[in-house]
Amino acid sequence: MCDQLRQDYLSCYGHSTLDTPNIDSLAKRGVLFTNAYCQAPECAPSRASFYSGRYLSSHGVMGYEDATRLDEQMISDYLEPLGYRTAVVGKSHSFKKESELRRLGVDMNTAYAKASQHGGFEPYEIHEGDLACSVAPNDHGYSNYLRSLGYDAANPWQSCANSSIAPNGEIHDGWKLRSARFPAAVSEEHSETAFITSRAIDFIAETEDRPWCLHLSYIKPHWPVIAPKPYHNLFGPSDVQPVVSNQIEIKHPHPVYQAFTQLEYSRTFCRNDVRETVIPVYMGLVKQIDDHLGRLFEVLEKRALVENTIIIFTSDHGDYLGDHGLGEKYLFHDASVKIPLIIAAPGVENDTTRGMKRDELVEAVDILPTLIQLTGADTCHERLEGHSLLPLLELKATAANWREFAVSELDYSDQGVRNRLGLDPYMCRAIMIKSHRWKYIYYWNLRPQLFDLHEDPNEFVDLGSMSEYKSICHMMDERLVSWQNSLKRRVGIAYDCVLEQGPDRDEKNGFIIGRW
Amino acid sequence: MCDQLRQDYLSCYGHSTLDTPNIDSLAKRGVLFTNAYCQAPECAPSRASFYSGRYLSSHGVMGYEDATRLDEQMISDYLEPLGYRTAVVGKSHSFKKESELRRLGVDMNTAYAKASQHGGFEPYEIHEGDLACSVAPNDHGYSNYLRSLGYDAANPWQSCANSSIAPNGEIHDGWKLRSARFPAAVSEEHSETAFITSRAIDFIAETEDRPWCLHLSYIKPHWPVIAPKPYHNLFGPSDVQPVVSNQIEIKHPHPVYQAFTQLEYSRTFCRNDVRETVIPVYMGLVKQIDDHLGRLFEVLEKRALVENTIIIFTSDHGDYLGDHGLGEKYLFHDASVKIPLIIAAPGVENDTTRGMKRDELVEAVDILPTLIQLTGADTCHERLEGHSLLPLLELKATAANWREFAVSELDYSDQGVRNRLGLDPYMCRAIMIKSHRWKYIYYWNLRPQLFDLHEDPNEFVDLGSMSEYKSICHMMDERLVSWQNSLKRRVGIAYDCVLEQGPDRDEKNGFIIGRW
């Protein structure tokens, strides 16, 4: 998993100047999904959906500081009973609330409790990026690593790996986008991407004798946008794709969209000098990940692990990079909500599906059910809200018998938007319902947004306030209600138990209701 | 709290032959709510809403065997930090899943873990009725009590308290409704209602020196419908109210309604001989509770506790008793979904509100926020979904600034209905949205039901399939969506923390996103 990698910044997804041969090689031997969506264009909520196979409304993570509900079961809860060592190298940005666990009397020193602070994964090498120095109170392996190499600083993650160094030796703060034009103040081999890849290789070498599931979770190309030499200037302004925006977007803007355009990162990314400085470095960071994945794939080949290892390549969400007058993510334009998704599963792909592209609407919540079906773990009908992608991988399902719409959720109480709009923090809910033709965005207590993707694939013309589209909005509202009712809320009773319920079983148990 | 007590089976709610002077006395000094609704017409889901202040979709209890989600906080979690000893005498029918708690490493011997098996209440005297002999693996104080009195049986709850004895000495199984015509095989003073009341008085005497909150939770008039002498024949067939049903109801019945009419308890309660035998005994059980509440109120008066004790009288749901061709509960006609609710809170009522009736739409989830406001506990905006009733008790709110619709939820996968309709267990969702004029019932993947309560207060004419009411159904769907979005899903982050979020705080914490 990459962090904040747009779907269209890979050559296998059509980028014209960013060549990613190693990721492309996965697509050549697996299946590439063109319509893959994250459950939220924001790190923590999106990741909680990947890890639990459930939507935001179920796992409860709506913002970057939210804990997952205590009884959510994560990838490890399904795979570890089968003997898979299930670990994370890199970022998880997913935790259960320690104070709540302690209130129940849980001993925080158990392996289970420790993993609960990292998406349920064994924290083989936790590296949360910026969070390592603030939110997550964990051991900072990467910072210690840099210190051991002589990078001497209170916070070498920030002062070295995520600051840049000018030709005159001056250090530039990586939080300022202008600093992106210089290379990182660490060498490439000591950068985050190199370190995380090496630690993944360590894990694989160490775990060869038993089944394993590794969440290799890169921080990049997530900000700070600082790349080590030579990736900082592999690309230049001529490699930057034309901005996707149109004057019509700001004519009668939706109030939430308008508020996001007014934020600092949006205003900044509307500047050509910013885009021409930052986007080439963003591309360099992607290129660096591709190179390191090549290194990892070589290890897998050498160790003869390619033929029994399922590889899934994806990202938690995209990045506007100035499109639609926006920076960062959060809203539901494709730049932000679409994700790359490639699955190479040995034993599944065959000559027919090898290198295939599939256009069905697939979601982050589908990953865990897919793993479960591939590994034979408990299918847990009472919890999982996604659908295994195996029927698509095996050509057993087609668009005709697949889901009709994808869903993504947003709580916009953060980012200053709530204050700009004067809203109560629990009113800031938005839900995308996206069919092949329509992208509909429901805002609680505000008008919806609607885009006709057939007529307007760039999502410029918001039809949400036009009376002639009322019936379309109503149809999409019905899908929204249907989706909300499909959520698996009864996690406190097993599927088999629900199946057995009824008067016959009650009578067997001694309850006879209503017999004369 | 009574179990399965219909709102209209009390004299203060207008019953013409069932006199309940002690409950009426509460209404005279407090406030009586005419439009009070439970969150589900079924014990366990309804109770979880009373105890947590949250709807079924949030706490996750959708059926009688479902556990509450692990991180739900119950009445005790709010009141015990303030020093209130918070206990239950009688039925809770609410628990957290022991296997899940153990999986987290929770020691089940702590007071907290023990209370978690009883709605969070200290189990001062747990008596779950029928559940005592099957689901709940707890000490059966009432059964031991009966044994100590010489009622010698493997299960004296069933064989003595809930069986009846014919004049010839023959014992009749209380599970058969026909047995209701004879008195219980225990004396009145040894019956469940007497025992539970006495244990409540014990608790109060024992706890006088500190603040307390007692959930006095009667099993009756819930089945088995067996009353001790003299309550088994205080009432007769002439006291039975006319059945509320109409031929038009079965002309084009909604499939779920139709399936419920076909169940054994519904068919049974369509018989006059059943109603004329059972309903007088149901009334006797209510009368017995009223008499014992009189005994309890005397104790409160003698101990001078009346002036500093908030008393709330309610029920978890109603009982069809043959109305609409139905028995039991589950569906959303008033007989089933309306509950009695009387609140007498010293210091709140005054000469203006004393004895007042209020017609606003109030719900079970409002009880906990009301207690919280009255006791000064943490208001916990990130969790509580109900609204404190204090503004109504103090005449500070009116219908104009109160909620516009009440909500109640149902999962009908149990009761054999799912099999009759051939449905997947996770498709059996229904939600009532009831305004002052309309009662709308959304069924996932089935047509809705709609009743015009102005024109048809008895809810006989289902307009849900009529094209001329499509726009009303659409309006009610919008309310449904609005309600679903109002649910408090972000329980993993405190309200204050959400309030503080924004770019300013991020910058203070060292994250500066998008600065050039």
Side-chain angles (χ1 to χ4, degrees):
Chain A
M1 180 180 284
C2 292
D3 194 332
Q4 199 136 337
L5 170 61
R6 274 171 68 139
Q7 193 195 66
D8 53 356
Y9 272 64
L10 296 169
S11 43
C12 54
Y13 276 100
H15 200 288
S16 57
T17 65
L18 173 54
D19 188 34
T20 49
N22 295 297
I23 296 167
D24 292 8
S25 76
L26 265 191
K28 278 188 196 120
R29 64 189 182 86
V31 174
L32 176 147
F33 292 91
T34 59
N35 281 309
Y37 290 87
C38 60
Q39 258 48 72
E42 186 179 1
C43 299
S46 171
R47 285 159 185 270
S49 286
F50 273 104
Y51 304 159
S52 67
R54 286 157 55 83
Y55 294 95
L56 275 66
S57 288
S58 294
H59 60 59
V61 180
M62 296 269 174
Y64 82 98
E65 291 181 290
D66 296 18
T68 312
R69 293 198 69 171
L70 277 192
D71 48 10
E72 287 300 320
Q73 297 196 4
M74 318 304 262
I75 294 178
S76 55
D77 293 305
Y78 296 91
L79 298 189
E80 292 215 327
L82 290 183
Y84 286 86
R85 183 182 182 188
T86 305
V88 58
V89 169
K91 176 170 178 171
S92 79
H93 202 162
S94 173
F95 67 102
K96 293 184 178 173
K97 213 170 182 173
E98 200 178 315
S99 60
E100 283 290 291
L101 287 163
R102 286 192 193 281
R103 206 170 61 90
L104 295 178
V106 173
D107 173 2
M108 292 305 296
N109 290 314
T110 62
Y112 187 90
K114 281 183 185 161
S116 74
Q117 303 308 297
H118 308 289
F121 296 104
E122 175 196 333
Y124 185 81
E125 184 69 61
I126 275 293
H127 176 53
E128 298 278 357
D130 62 301
L131 297 175
C133 43
S134 59
V135 180
N138 308 301
D139 50 334
H140 306 166
Y142 180 59
S143 287
N144 291 335
Y145 167 76
L146 289 181
R147 279 189 210 103
S148 77
L149 293 166
Y151 295 97
D152 198 22
N155 182 348
W157 173 81
Q158 182 162 330
S159 323
C160 307
N162 287 285
S163 292
S164 63
I165 183 161
N168 65 3
E170 212 174 46
I171 298 291
H172 290 250
D173 177 4
W175 288 109
K176 309 244 169 77
L177 291 167
R178 191 192 296 270
S179 312
R181 68 199 190 279
F182 301 126
V186 293
S187 70
E188 197 281 324
E189 63 175 328
H190 301 151
S191 67
E192 291 171 276
T193 295
F195 172 76
I196 290 173
T197 309
S198 298
R199 294 296 286 145
I201 292 168
D202 292 346
F203 172 85
I204 291 165
E206 190 182 308
T207 320
E208 224 176 4
D209 58 334
R210 54 177 283 204
W212 51 266
C213 170
L214 176 64
H215 178 36
L216 167 53
S217 182
Y218 290 108
I219 305 291
K220 297 299 183 188
H222 189 274
W223 40 255
V225 189
I226 295 291
K229 210 185 268 184
Y231 295 101
H232 76 293
N233 68 358
L234 277 190
F235 302 94
S238 65
D239 297 305
V240 174
Q241 309 294 297
V243 72
V244 179
S245 72
N246 190 302
Q247 280 303 309
I248 201 173
E249 294 184 277
I250 50 169
K251 263 207 173 149
H252 303 289
H254 188 281
V256 174
Y257 167 68
Q258 186 178 37
F260 270 96
T261 63
Q262 291 162 348
L263 299 179
E264 182 173 10
Y265 48 69
S266 296
R267 286 183 286 112
T268 306
F269 270 96
C270 285
R271 292 172 55 161
N272 272 333
D273 55 351
V274 173
R275 296 183 75 253
E276 290 181 355
T277 304
V278 175
I279 292 175
V281 183
Y282 179 92
M283 291 168 67
L285 289 167
V286 178
K287 181 72 182 168
Q288 188 192 7
I289 288 171
D290 187 73
D291 285 346
H292 281 277
L293 284 177
R295 179 160 73 96
L296 179 75
F297 296 162
E298 256 177 48
V299 171
L300 291 179
E301 253 168 58
K302 266 193 207 140
R303 293 182 176 271
L305 289 170
V306 171
E307 284 313 305
N308 67 356
T309 304
I310 302 157
I311 303 181
I312 300 178
F313 177 85
T314 190
S315 171
D316 57 352
H317 52 74
D319 190 323
Y320 276 108
L321 297 174
D323 289 351
H324 308 287
L326 295 165
E328 273 271 75
K329 53 251 182 178
Y330 302 110
L331 293 179
F332 297 112
H333 299 90
D334 276 359
S336 168
V337 74
K338 252 192 175 178
I339 50 173
L341 180 64
I342 302 166
I343 301 182
V348 171
E349 77 271 22
N350 54 41
D351 286 345
T352 327
T353 63
R354 205 183 291 277
M356 198 180 204
K357 291 189 181 187
R358 299 223 53 150
D359 299 328
E360 287 85 0
L361 296 161
V362 300
E363 302 183 352
V365 290
D366 299 335
I367 300 302
L368 179 53
T370 305
L371 284 177
I372 283 174
Q373 204 177 1
L374 286 167
T375 59
D378 176 13
T379 46
C380 201
H381 296 287
E382 67 268 25
R383 291 183 172 269
L384 292 171
E385 294 171 340
H387 302 294
S388 167
L389 299 175
L390 206 58
L392 298 181
L393 296 177
E394 291 179 333
L395 293 178
K396 287 184 182 151
T398 62
N401 51 15
W402 193 249
R403 69 162 64 83
E404 290 179 355
F405 55 88
V407 177
S408 195
E409 295 181 75
L410 168 69
D411 184 301
Y412 55 92
S413 61
D414 191 8
Q415 305 298 313
V417 168
R418 179 178 77 76
N419 292 329
R420 281 172 193 273
L421 299 173
L423 295 175
D424 178 273
Y426 292 94
M427 283 180 56
C428 302
R429 282 185 59 69
I431 303 175
M432 175 194 86
I433 304 288
K434 194 239 168 254
S435 67
H436 281 282
R437 171 148 190 197
W438 303 101
K439 187 179 278 184
Y440 173 76
I441 300 154
Y442 171 87
Y443 291 90
W444 189 32
N445 286 321
L446 293 172
R447 75 160 175 91
Q449 286 189 287
L450 180 71
F451 299 96
D452 181 344
L453 305 173
H454 282 192
E455 302 296 322
D456 173 31
N458 283 321
E459 314 173 78
F460 290 147
V461 187
D462 181 355
L463 310 166
S465 58
M466 297 185 190
S467 57
E468 55 269 47
Y469 289 91
K470 255 208 138 138
S471 66
I472 301 291
C473 290
H474 183 196
M475 176 189 78
M476 299 307 274
D477 267 339
E478 283 177 351
R479 289 173 167 183
L480 170 61
V481 175
S482 177
W483 168 74
Q484 283 181 314
N485 280 288
S486 76
L487 296 174
K488 299 281 180 72
R489 305 177 194 276
R490 293 181 81 177
V491 298
I493 184 166
Y495 179 73
D496 289 346
C497 187
V498 174
L499 278 186
E500 284 168 10
Q501 286 180 334
D504 293 348
R505 201 190 57 163
D506 287 349
E507 186 159 350
K508 222 180 292 165
N509 287 336
F511 317 143
I512 311 163
I513 316 300
R515 183 154 307 162
W516 178 237
Chain B
M1 180 181 283
C2 292
D3 195 332
Q4 198 136 336
L5 170 61
R6 273 172 69 139
Q7 193 195 66
D8 54 354
Y9 272 63
L10 296 169
S11 42
C12 54
Y13 276 99
H15 199 288
S16 57
T17 65
L18 173 54
D19 189 33
T20 49
N22 295 297
I23 296 166
D24 292 9
S25 77
L26 264 190
K28 279 189 194 117
R29 63 190 183 86
V31 174
L32 176 148
F33 293 90
T34 59
N35 281 308
Y37 289 87
C38 60
Q39 257 50 71
E42 186 179 3
C43 299
S46 171
R47 285 160 186 269
S49 286
F50 272 105
Y51 304 160
S52 67
R54 287 157 56 81
Y55 294 94
L56 275 66
S57 287
S58 295
H59 60 59
V61 181
M62 296 269 175
Y64 83 98
E65 290 181 289
D66 296 17
T68 313
R69 293 200 68 172
L70 276 193
D71 48 10
E72 288 298 321
Q73 297 197 2
M74 316 305 261
I75 294 178
S76 55
D77 293 304
Y78 297 91
L79 298 188
E80 291 216 328
L82 290 182
Y84 286 87
R85 183 180 182 189
T86 305
V88 58
V89 170
K91 177 170 178 171
S92 79
H93 202 162
S94 174
F95 66 102
K96 293 184 179 172
K97 212 169 181 173
E98 199 177 316
S99 60
E100 282 290 290
L101 286 163
R102 287 191 193 281
R103 207 169 60 90
L104 295 179
V106 174
D107 173 2
M108 291 306 295
N109 290 313
T110 62
Y112 186 91
K114 281 182 185 162
S116 74
Q117 302 308 297
H118 308 289
F121 296 103
E122 175 196 333
Y124 185 82
E125 184 69 61
I126 275 293
H127 177 53
E128 298 277 358
D130 61 301
L131 297 174
C133 43
S134 59
V135 180
N138 308 300
D139 50 333
H140 306 167
Y142 179 60
S143 287
N144 291 336
Y145 166 77
L146 289 181
R147 278 188 211 105
S148 76
L149 293 166
Y151 294 97
D152 198 23
N155 182 348
W157 172 82
Q158 182 162 330
S159 323
C160 306
N162 287 284
S163 290
S164 62
I165 183 160
N168 65 2
E170 211 173 47
I171 297 293
H172 289 251
D173 178 3
W175 288 110
K176 309 244 168 77
L177 290 166
R178 192 191 295 269
S179 311
R181 67 197 191 281
F182 301 125
V186 293
S187 70
E188 197 281 325
E189 61 175 330
H190 302 151
S191 68
E192 291 171 276
T193 295
F195 172 75
I196 290 173
T197 309
S198 298
R199 294 296 287 145
I201 292 169
D202 291 347
F203 172 84
I204 292 166
E206 190 182 307
T207 319
E208 224 176 3
D209 58 334
R210 53 176 284 204
W212 50 268
C213 170
L214 176 64
H215 177 36
L216 168 52
S217 182
Y218 290 108
I219 306 290
K220 298 299 184 188
H222 189 274
W223 40 257
V225 189
I226 295 291
K229 210 184 266 184
Y231 295 100
H232 75 294
N233 68 359
L234 277 189
F235 302 95
S238 66
D239 296 306
V240 173
Q241 310 293 298
V243 72
V244 179
S245 73
N246 190 302
Q247 280 303 309
I248 200 173
E249 294 183 277
I250 50 168
K251 264 207 172 148
H252 303 289
H254 188 280
V256 174
Y257 166 68
Q258 186 178 36
F260 270 96
T261 63
Q262 292 162 347
L263 299 179
E264 181 172 13
Y265 47 70
S266 296
R267 286 182 286 111
T268 305
F269 270 96
C270 285
R271 293 172 53 160
N272 271 334
D273 54 351
V274 173
R275 296 184 75 252
E276 289 181 356
T277 304
V278 176
I279 292 177
V281 183
Y282 179 91
M283 291 168 68
L285 288 166
V286 178
K287 181 71 182 169
Q288 189 193 6
I289 288 171
D290 187 74
D291 285 346
H292 281 277
L293 284 177
R295 180 161 73 97
L296 178 76
F297 296 163
E298 257 177 45
V299 170
L300 291 179
E301 253 168 56
K302 267 193 206 139
R303 294 182 176 271
L305 288 170
V306 171
E307 285 313 305
N308 66 356
T309 303
I310 303 158
I311 302 181
I312 301 178
F313 177 85
T314 189
S315 172
D316 57 352
H317 53 74
D319 190 323
Y320 276 108
L321 297 174
D323 289 351
H324 308 287
L326 295 165
E328 272 271 73
K329 52 250 183 181
Y330 302 110
L331 293 179
F332 297 113
H333 299 89
D334 276 359
S336 169
V337 74
K338 253 192 175 179
I339 50 172
L341 180 64
I342 302 167
I343 301 182
V348 171
E349 78 269 23
N350 53 42
D351 287 345
T352 327
T353 62
R354 204 183 292 278
M356 199 179 202
K357 291 190 179 184
R358 300 223 52 151
D359 298 328
E360 287 85 1
L361 296 160
V362 300
E363 301 182 352
V365 289
D366 299 335
I367 300 302
L368 179 54
T370 305
L371 284 177
I372 283 174
Q373 204 177 359
L374 286 167
T375 59
D378 177 12
T379 47
C380 201
H381 295 288
E382 67 268 24
R383 290 183 173 269
L384 292 171
E385 294 171 341
H387 301 295
S388 168
L389 300 174
L390 206 57
L392 298 180
L393 297 177
E394 291 179 333
L395 293 179
K396 286 182 184 155
T398 62
N401 51 15
W402 193 250
R403 68 163 64 84
E404 289 180 353
F405 55 88
V407 177
S408 196
E409 294 181 75
L410 168 70
D411 184 300
Y412 56 92
S413 61
D414 191 8
Q415 305 297 313
V417 168
R418 178 177 78 75
N419 292 328
R420 281 171 192 272
L421 299 173
L423 295 175
D424 178 273
Y426 293 94
M427 283 181 55
C428 303
R429 283 185 57 70
I431 304 175
M432 174 194 85
I433 304 287
K434 193 240 168 251
S435 67
H436 281 282
R437 171 148 189 196
W438 304 101
K439 186 179 278 186
Y440 173 76
I441 299 153
Y442 171 87
Y443 291 90
W444 188 31
N445 286 321
L446 294 172
R447 76 159 175 90
Q449 287 188 287
L450 180 71
F451 299 96
D452 181 344
L453 305 174
H454 281 191
E455 302 295 324
D456 173 32
N458 283 321
E459 315 172 76
F460 290 147
V461 187
D462 181 354
L463 310 166
S465 59
M466 298 186 189
S467 57
E468 56 269 48
Y469 289 92
K470 255 208 140 141
S471 66
I472 301 291
C473 289
H474 183 198
M475 175 188 77
M476 300 307 275
D477 267 340
E478 283 177 351
R479 289 173 168 183
L480 169 62
V481 175
S482 176
W483 168 75
Q484 283 180 315
N485 280 288
S486 75
L487 297 174
K488 299 282 180 71
R489 305 178 194 274
R490 294 181 80 177
V491 299
I493 184 167
Y495 179 71
D496 290 346
C497 186
V498 174
L499 278 187
E500 284 168 11
Q501 286 180 334
D504 293 348
R505 200 190 60 162
D506 287 350
E507 187 160 350
K508 223 180 290 165
N509 288 337
F511 316 143
I512 311 165
I513 317 300
R515 184 155 307 163
W516 179 236

